[in-house]
Structures are given as C-alpha cells and as structure tokens.
Amino acid sequence: MQAQTQPGLVTLRRLALALLAVGVLAAAGAYALQQQRAEIAAALTLALASNTPLPAKGAIALPDFSDIAARNGPAVVNISVTGSTRVGYDSQGQGDDAASADDPLFEFFRRFQNPQGRSSAREVPVRGHGSGFIVSADGVIMTNAHVVRGASEVMVKLTDRREFRAKVLGSDPKTDIAILKIEAQNLPLVALAAKDTLRVGEWVLAIGSPFGFDSTVTAGVVSAKGRSLPDDSNVPFIQTDVAINPGNSGGPLFNARGEVIGVNSQIFSQTGGYQGLSFAIPIDVANNVRRQIVATGTVAHAKLGVTVQEVNQSFADSFKLASPEGALVANVEPGGPADKAGLQAGDVVRSMNGKAIIGSGDLPAQVGGAAPGDKITLDLWRNGKMMALVATLGDASDPVQGANRDAAPAGKLKLGLALRPLQEAEQRRSGVRSGLLVEDADGAAAYAGVQRGDVLLAINGNPVGSLAQVRELLAKSNKSVALLVLRGNDRIFIPVRLG
C-alpha cells in the first residue's frame, strides 16, 4: 500500500517551491532595477556633460546651470547711464516731484543758492543701471530701450572689469529694444536661439545685474508664451517665473542649451519688486530690431489700422461663434490698410496667413512680426459666416488720420436703456452721422458698463439708427448682445447679457 503524503509536508513543499520562485523573480527584478538605474545615471551624466535637456520623462531633466553661467556670463554686461532732468523748486524747497522735499540737494539749493527764496529750477543728475549682452565680437550690445532712455552718457562694464563708453546706435520704444556699440574686438558673445523653438515648461536662466549686483544668476521655467501686455507694444512676451528685479532689464534669458531666447524687460508687481511674474521680449523680435538698427539706424513697424478687443463668451453668443476666440475689430482707421481691405467694426478676425488668432493680442503680435508693404490674408467672421480679405500692411510711422466716425444708433427694451436719435448739433459734435444717445442706463446694460452719454452705434455688428432697428435686432438675440458704443473719442464693444 502506497504511503500517503502528510498534509503538513505537502504544504511545506509547496511553500518552499513558492519561496524559491519568489527568490528567482526577486533576483531578476533586482538585476533589472540595477540595470535601469545604471542607464538613468549614464543618461544623466551624458546630458549634463553635453548641456542638452533629457527626454521629458521623470524628474531628472535638469540642465547644468553652472555650465550655462560659466560659458555665457562673460558676454553679459552691466550698463550704467547718466542723464539729467530739470526740476523746479519754490521758497519752501518743494520741487516738481513728490520726492524733492526729502532730497538734501534741494535743501542745499534753497538755503545757499537761492537765499531770497525765489522760484527757480536746477538740472538734477539722474543715474540708472541695467544689463545687456554682446551679440557681436566687435562690440555690438543688445539691451532695453528704457535702460538708455534720456541718457547723456552710457557706460558698459565687462566681467573682466574693463569699462567702455558706449554709443547708442538706435532705440525702438515700441519693442523696448536698444542697440549699443563699444570700441572693442574679440569679445565673448552669446548664441541666439532659433525661432519658435521654445516650449512652455522649459527651464530658463537669467543673468543680469539686479540692484547693481553684477553677474547674478536666477532660474525658473517658461510660464506662458505670447502674452499681451497693456503697453501698446504689440510684443508677444515670454512669461516666466524667473526672479527679475530692477537692474535685470536688458539682460539675456537663456534656454537649457545656453541660447538666448529672450530679453528680460518687465515684471508684474504690486510692490515694485519681483512677485513671480516676469516678461521677456522674444529674441526673434529683438533680433529683427537689431538688424534694422545696424543697417539703417531706424526701425519700421507694420500696421493694419484697427483696434481690437477680446472675444469673451458673451461676444461669442452675440455673434453666434462656436468658441470665444479671435480678435474683435472695435474700430477701423479711415483710409488705413484695414479700411482699404474692407474690414469693418464688428468683424472677428480668426486667422492671419493661416495662423490662428486665439486671443485679441495675437493679431497685433502677428502684424508686428511683418514688414510694411507685406500682403496678408485675414480669415474673419462676419454676419454669421466666414470670409477672407487680403490687406497690404502700412507703416506705423505714418500719421493717423483719426478715428473712424462712421456710426450707427441703438435702442431699449430688455437692455434697460433710454435712447433717442442724435440731433444735428450732436452729430457734428460727436463726428457720427447716425446714432442713438443713451439718456439713461439701468438693468443689464448699466451692469455691463453702458453709461449715460454713450452713443450706441451698432448691435452685434449691425449699425442702428432708429429704435425700430434696435427692437428688430433684440428680437433676434437670445443670450446676449454686443453693443458698439462711442464714448468720448473711443469706440468700444460692450457685451450685455439679456434676461
């Protein structure tokens, strides 16, 4: 009779086999983990040695900031400027500005230079600091226009402590770029990045002289691209969280490969110091200015001749757009390129030369990247359908002929407006041939921002000249309407939600 295996022994044998299998798997896993760690270490060593970013997997894609600073630091310069401003003071020592009363210079002038206490004025020296970077070995330097604005003397200090008097070759306030020249040869210079290679989230590095501290290095990431700021510059700024402070202006912003991708220009601050929002001018914009200044000493900018507003959801509902995207044309300069091409107030520009316009700032930024005389194709939304127009860009330096005064009026009802047609004298005074004067505003219209004294010109892009037209257009609207009003000399669109 065959002996039966005891249950306890069977269990132990199975357990032993299971433990053996686990041991084999664990050994294999440990070997694989060791190999993976070795591969990661090798990749990290190679990336740091070659100063190239690692693939975007994991949290090890860190550039070698010390290498970037060592290679590029000698090409970053400190800029000091000297100028003067004429400031008046009276017998009490009060100057033209609020700070003059606390300035010991004014007390000196008051007591010893002006003993009779008569009103006078003095040239007061003004000094400032900024940064810049060498873009040509023969001494061409790029910086911000506001760094050298009004300067009577510009001095450039290199990292080897040599100092040079610089000549301002040219300055472009519209882009805030200035080009300097010093008499030197065989200077270290930076490499400029290729166009449109920057990605949101990339590591970036700034070198400059914040508060006069030379060769200061700060780092962060690209927070956003194509930012429009309310400064009438039409520059698609690069937003970062790199620490930028007074004195950093004009300094370079580097990518992880040590290439300049921007010129540090502005910060957003409620205190005057860095608060996590800094902005740089894209290097392709700055380099375009440099080429023009070096060649001719001046800079030409293209213009379309329109003012635009953001398209929010209320406007999208009013114009029956599928999404709140595009640049809403609020005003067209008479006789300008847009006027000649047939653009109208109320058009929503969706693309230029096939490149999408998402926010209103995208249109002036794209126009700013073109040259006067260029032909552009605009895809736009008008009266519920898409259409295309071709425009020839003008020169921004040409004098503006004045705002477009061709107008149209509006009405009441669900809007909460009391309206009446403009009288002949009011038409002459406002410069519009037709329109409805807002005598009173309450309800939805007042909440949206319509004010007494505004002149209603159009609803949803349709000119209005009578209360009947207003009622007709309101009857066709559901969620909201876009009112084009004239306020003073400005035309603005105001979205008003109905009901």
Side-chain angles (χ1 to χ4, degrees):
M1 182 176 176
Q2 189 175 6
Q4 294 182 350
T5 304
Q6 296 180 10
L9 294 178
V10 172
T11 302
L12 290 175
R13 287 170 184 167
R14 289 177 178 173
L15 179 60
L17 291 174
L19 291 173
L20 179 62
V22 170
V24 171
L25 291 174
Y31 177 76
L33 181 60
Q34 184 178 7
Q35 289 294 104
Q36 185 179 19
R37 286 175 176 171
E39 292 174 0
I40 292 174
L44 180 58
T45 302
L46 178 62
L48 293 177
S50 60
N51 195 34
T52 55
L54 291 172
K57 292 183 179 180
I60 59 175
L62 295 175
D64 188 348
F65 295 128
S66 62
D67 185 58
I68 296 175
R71 285 191 290 112
N72 294 285
V76 181
V77 303
N78 175 273
I79 298 173
S80 58
V81 300
T82 303
S84 63
T85 183
R86 191 169 181 82
V87 180
Y89 60 90
D90 58 22
S91 59
Q92 279 70 46
Q94 300 298 318
D96 289 340
D97 58 21
S100 61
D102 299 324
D103 192 335
L105 282 176
F106 284 90
E107 182 64 15
F108 172 82
F109 288 140
R110 185 179 74 84
R111 290 187 178 183
F112 300 104
Q113 301 279 332
N114 191 25
Q116 280 74 37
R118 293 187 295 270
S119 296
S120 184
R122 295 283 178 176
E123 289 289 338
V124 178
V126 177
R127 294 178 176 85
H129 296 274
S131 304
F133 52 99
I134 304 169
V135 294
S136 176
D138 61 354
V140 177
I141 295 170
M142 186 178 292
T143 186
N144 281 150
H146 76 258
V147 170
V148 297
R149 182 182 300 124
S152 57
E153 182 183 70
V154 179
M155 297 297 296
V156 170
K157 180 181 177 182
L158 308 185
T159 56
D160 61 10
R161 305 184 67 82
R162 287 186 294 167
E163 294 189 29
F164 297 86
R165 187 188 299 272
K167 177 183 179 182
V168 180
L169 296 182
S171 179
D172 180 38
K174 198 167 186 65
T175 57
D176 197 20
I177 293 295
I179 305 299
L180 314 181
K181 179 71 168 64
I182 61 175
E183 295 303 322
Q185 298 294 327
N186 302 318
L187 295 174
L189 65 154
V190 296
L192 305 182
K195 184 179 179 180
D196 290 336
T197 60
L198 189 66
R199 297 186 303 168
V200 173
E202 279 192 37
W203 284 100
V204 285
L205 178 81
I207 304 179
S209 304
F211 302 108
F213 294 106
D214 297 353
S215 303
T216 296
V217 177
T218 52
V221 298
V222 176
S223 304
K225 293 173 58 180
R227 284 292 194 221
S228 297
L229 301 181
D231 57 2
D232 193 35
S233 66
N234 297 342
V235 173
F237 285 95
I238 301 167
Q239 180 186 330
T240 77
D241 65 353
V242 178
I244 300 296
N245 281 293
N248 273 117
S249 291
L253 185 69
F254 295 96
N255 61 17
R257 292 175 293 279
E259 303 164 330
V260 177
I261 50 94
V263 183
N264 295 313
S265 176
Q266 301 185 42
I267 61 173
F268 179 86
S269 174
Q270 295 177 323
T271 65
Y274 169 73
Q275 288 187 291
L277 293 172
S278 54
F279 300 92
I281 302 159
I283 194 59
D284 55 301
V285 174
N287 213 25
N288 178 45
V289 172
R290 178 189 70 138
R291 285 191 292 266
Q292 294 188 63
I293 287 177
V294 170
T296 67
T298 60
V299 181
H301 293 286
K303 77 167 180 179
L304 182 58
V306 296
T307 55
V308 294
Q309 289 182 232
E310 201 70 33
V311 177
N312 57 26
Q313 188 61 57
S314 295
F315 284 139
D317 294 340
S318 302
F319 292 113
K320 296 181 172 56
L321 288 166
S323 59
E325 297 177 353
L328 174 60
V329 178
N331 188 55
V332 179
E333 177 189 322
D339 189 25
K340 293 177 181 177
L343 261 72
Q344 302 174 5
D347 289 343
V348 179
V349 181
R350 304 300 297 266
S351 70
M352 172 178 154
N353 291 339
K355 188 174 181 179
I357 304 293
I358 306 300
S360 62
D362 294 342
L363 180 60
Q366 290 190 35
V367 170
D374 286 355
K375 289 186 179 296
I376 60 170
T377 299
L378 300 174
D379 295 312
L380 55 92
W381 181 265
R382 179 187 294 174
N383 297 329
K385 60 182 180 181
M386 292 294 297
M387 61 181 298
L389 294 176
V390 177
T392 301
L393 296 176
D395 193 325
S397 62
D398 292 342
V400 177
Q401 299 179 22
N404 188 355
R405 302 301 186 187
D406 292 337
K412 177 155 177 155
L413 259 54
K414 293 184 283 185
L415 290 178
L417 295 177
L419 303 162
R420 66 167 174 80
L422 290 175
Q423 299 174 359
E424 186 175 346
E426 292 170 332
Q427 292 176 0
R428 289 195 302 268
R429 187 164 54 249
S430 63
V432 298
R433 293 193 297 266
S434 175
L436 296 174
L437 180 66
V438 177
E439 292 190 307
D440 192 19
D442 58 21
Y447 183 79
V450 181
Q451 301 175 6
R452 182 178 180 180
D454 288 345
V455 178
L456 181 58
L457 305 178
I459 297 178
N460 296 341
N462 300 290
V464 290
S466 66
L467 295 178
Q469 288 177 313
V470 171
R471 293 189 180 95
E472 180 182 355
L473 291 170
L474 290 178
K476 298 177 181 178
S477 302
N478 295 319
K479 297 180 180 179
S480 63
V481 292
L483 306 182
L484 176 62
V485 303
L486 178 68
R487 180 176 296 166
N489 293 324
D490 298 324
R491 287 181 168 214
I492 56 175
F493 273 100
I494 299 177
V496 179
R497 288 197 173 274
L498 301 177

